[in-house]
Amino acid sequence: MTQTTTLTSTISNTEKQRAFIVDHNKKQSLPNGNIIDWKKGLFNQIALVGECYDEWIEHPKLGRCRLFDSNIRESFSFTPWWVVPALYIPWSLLETRYSLTWHDSIFYQTLEQLGVVKDWYEYVPVVSYVLLAYLFGIFFWTFFEYVCHRFAFHWHPKTPLQRYAHFLGHGLHHITPEDEFRLVFPPVISIPLALMFRTLFYKTFPYGFGSAFFGGFLLGYAAYESTHFLTHHMPFGSWLKNRFYYHSKHHFDPVKQGKIFGVSSQFWDIVFGTL
């Protein structure tokens, strides 16, 4: 009886694996009986996936897929990885410069009131304070990266609308993890989100502290997206090879697909037991 059950289970699992294979005609039969055409835009076919969605995105395909049927919409879905550091590192430095200027102005006024002549060493408290805020921003990014990846990117959508949203946010990356032009968020999405966080940090923290904190947060984001791309496509050096080792398990190891949420580091995976 046990052997029969085991054999039946093995056959069932084998058939399920075969159901997600894309054949030579770029057609993919799903367990629910529907067929996905990989020559067409996947976005318009999410409704066909239905309840198979979670399993579907965890069967990754190497290479690139078509997201939209429209060539114009398709062209806007590509974002080179270098766009992120090119945009956000200068923005990060500007926020930090703004924090330094603001604190220096306030500090200089205080020294004048005290009748103290400002010398180079008078800058040490200001620079130290801004640097501390900047480092806190970077550290907070690592926590945000973990929480966002674990709970926002790896939730289980239940409705068709939720599946569409999840697919654009992270599902597409999991089903085609080696698509180098769909690894980072397009600026049309990331810039409004960055402005939202800027407003939040400015209102939460003291004025100058918030700008330096946000600058560190931006640098953390730029480093994350750059690390993510290099981990997938150019894992040179021992550190990136270590990132590749863990992140490839997240994508391709069935035992670890619901774990290892850190990309920049495994610090929070260790803290929360998801390594």
Side-chain angles (χ1 to χ4, degrees):
M1 181 68 176
T2 304
Q3 290 179 342
T4 304
T5 304
T6 304
L7 181 60
T8 304
S9 175
T10 303
I11 293 172
S12 176
N13 289 335
T14 302
E15 289 176 347
K16 186 180 290 188
Q17 292 290 331
R18 287 175 178 171
F20 291 100
I21 293 175
V22 179
D23 65 23
H24 64 282
N25 291 317
K26 297 291 185 179
K27 298 291 180 67
Q28 183 182 34
S29 299
L30 302 178
N32 61 11
N34 292 328
I35 296 176
I36 299 296
D37 188 346
W38 279 66
K39 290 182 290 187
K40 298 180 180 179
L42 291 183
F43 184 74
N44 291 335
Q45 301 180 75
I46 297 299
L48 298 176
V49 180
E51 298 296 327
C52 301
Y53 179 81
D54 286 343
E55 287 186 281
W56 181 59
I57 63 171
E58 294 301 349
H59 285 76
K61 313 299 177 201
L62 300 179
R64 184 182 299 173
C65 71
R66 188 174 183 87
L67 182 58
F68 299 110
D69 291 322
S70 164
N71 289 333
I72 295 176
R73 291 172 67 193
E74 180 74 357
S75 65
F76 280 106
S77 71
F78 299 133
T79 306
W81 74 275
W82 52 263
V83 168
V84 173
L87 280 175
Y88 290 103
I89 290 179
W91 188 357
S92 168
L93 296 176
L94 283 172
E95 292 286 344
T96 309
R97 173 60 179 167
Y98 177 73
S99 179
L100 279 168
T101 303
W102 188 85
H103 279 102
D104 183 51
S105 174
I106 299 299
F107 192 61
Y108 182 64
Q109 291 175 20
T110 304
L111 291 177
E112 276 191 331
Q113 292 171 3
L114 294 173
V116 178
V117 178
K118 189 167 72 169
D119 207 337
W120 67 268
Y121 55 81
E122 305 291 356
Y123 285 100
V124 172
V126 173
V127 173
S128 299
Y129 182 78
V130 171
L131 180 60
L132 185 65
Y134 194 77
L135 293 175
F136 272 143
I138 296 173
F139 183 71
F140 180 74
W141 165 264
T142 65
F143 177 71
F144 177 80
E145 172 195 321
Y146 175 87
V147 170
C148 186
H149 194 181
R150 180 176 179 179
F151 297 106
F153 290 169
H154 281 269
W155 62 295
H156 301 288
K158 303 299 182 185
T159 67
L161 185 60
Q162 289 176 355
R163 293 184 191 112
Y164 279 112
H166 183 273
F167 187 70
L168 287 179
H170 198 61
L172 174 63
H173 173 57
H174 263 262
I175 202 167
T176 56
E178 298 306 311
D179 188 341
E180 61 183 297
F181 290 105
R182 292 201 178 103
L183 269 174
V184 302
F185 274 111
V188 69
I189 297 175
S190 63
I191 289 177
L193 287 173
L195 291 173
M196 181 188 74
F197 278 107
R198 185 179 192 266
T199 302
L200 175 64
F201 296 152
Y202 269 57
K203 290 184 178 296
T204 302
F205 300 111
Y207 200 67
F209 188 95
S211 56
F213 185 92
F214 179 62
F217 187 80
L218 285 179
L219 183 67
Y221 171 64
Y224 155 76
E225 291 284 32
S226 302
T227 299
H228 193 195
F229 174 83
L230 294 172
T231 297
H232 275 279
H233 296 283
M234 289 185 283
F236 57 87
S238 59
W239 186 76
L240 280 174
K241 287 177 181 177
N242 182 262
R243 301 294 88 233
F244 174 78
Y245 172 78
Y246 284 107
H247 195 58
S248 61
K249 281 182 173 292
H250 172 76
H251 276 288
F252 302 109
D253 186 343
V255 178
K256 296 292 187 179
Q257 282 179 336
K259 296 184 177 182
I260 312 181
F261 299 104
V263 176
S264 304
S265 78
Q266 263 53 69
F267 176 78
W268 296 108
D269 284 303
I270 294 171
V271 171
F272 293 110
T274 54
L275 190 59

